[in-house]
Amino acid sequence: QAQLAESGGGLVQSGGSLRLSCRGSGFTLEYNTIGWFRQTPGKEREVVACISSSDSSTYYADSVKGRFTISRDNAKNTVYLQMNSLKPEDTAVYYCGAGGSGSYYSPSAYNYWGQGTQVTVSS
């Protein structure tokens, strides 16, 4: 059974850093485009970053460009999201998605999701 599990969230002060992990089980993340999304209460899930299956090319939302980095460790079947220079507006539940097809900037493209990890940035 394919599953994803996020970890690494927590409470951090503005300007701090966190590294989120998305670990896959039951399937190989290397062969999937992986997306990191975030969601706050009352808002839709929005894309933060993606890494492609074909050439590991990356995409970043404008709001995180230059501060966040998405990367893979295929040996650990894990995708990371390194988040630096965090701002209070980065506060959200962060999810990773895998599988599926279509526009990888949209949550509807993904078949598998983790349970999410809370990131809270205090000012």
Side-chain angles (χ1 to χ4, degrees):
Q1 182 180 0
Q3 292 184 326
L4 295 171
E6 302 96 338
S7 62
L11 173 63
V12 64
Q13 288 188 335
S14 181
S17 298
L18 285 173
R19 188 178 77 160
L20 305 184
S21 300
C22 172
R23 185 175 183 277
S25 59
F27 71 120
T28 304
L29 295 192
E30 180 180 0
Y31 304 135
N32 288 267
T33 292
I34 307 299
W36 278 102
F37 289 74
R38 64 188 181 188
Q39 190 169 23
T40 55
K43 293 190 176 181
E44 293 185 355
R45 196 167 292 189
E46 65 173 3
V47 66
V48 174
C50 305
I51 186 165
S52 74
S53 58
S54 56
D55 59 2
S56 288
S57 59
T58 57
Y59 163 85
Y60 297 95
D62 287 343
S63 59
V64 307
K65 205 171 290 183
R67 300 189 297 123
F68 291 11
T69 304
I70 188 170
S71 62
R72 295 181 181 272
D73 185 335
N74 294 331
K76 295 183 178 180
N77 206 30
T78 299
V79 172
Y80 300 101
L81 185 69
Q82 177 67 43
M83 306 187 297
N84 298 329
S85 302
L86 283 161
K87 305 176 181 179
E89 51 263 44
D90 294 318
T91 295
V93 178
Y94 283 70
Y95 300 89
C96 62
S101 61
S103 170
Y104 288 104
Y105 312 135
S106 169
S108 61
Y110 297 86
N111 290 332
Y112 305 110
W113 292 95
Q115 80 288 351
T117 185
Q118 176 70 47
V119 171
T120 303
V121 184
S122 63
S123 56

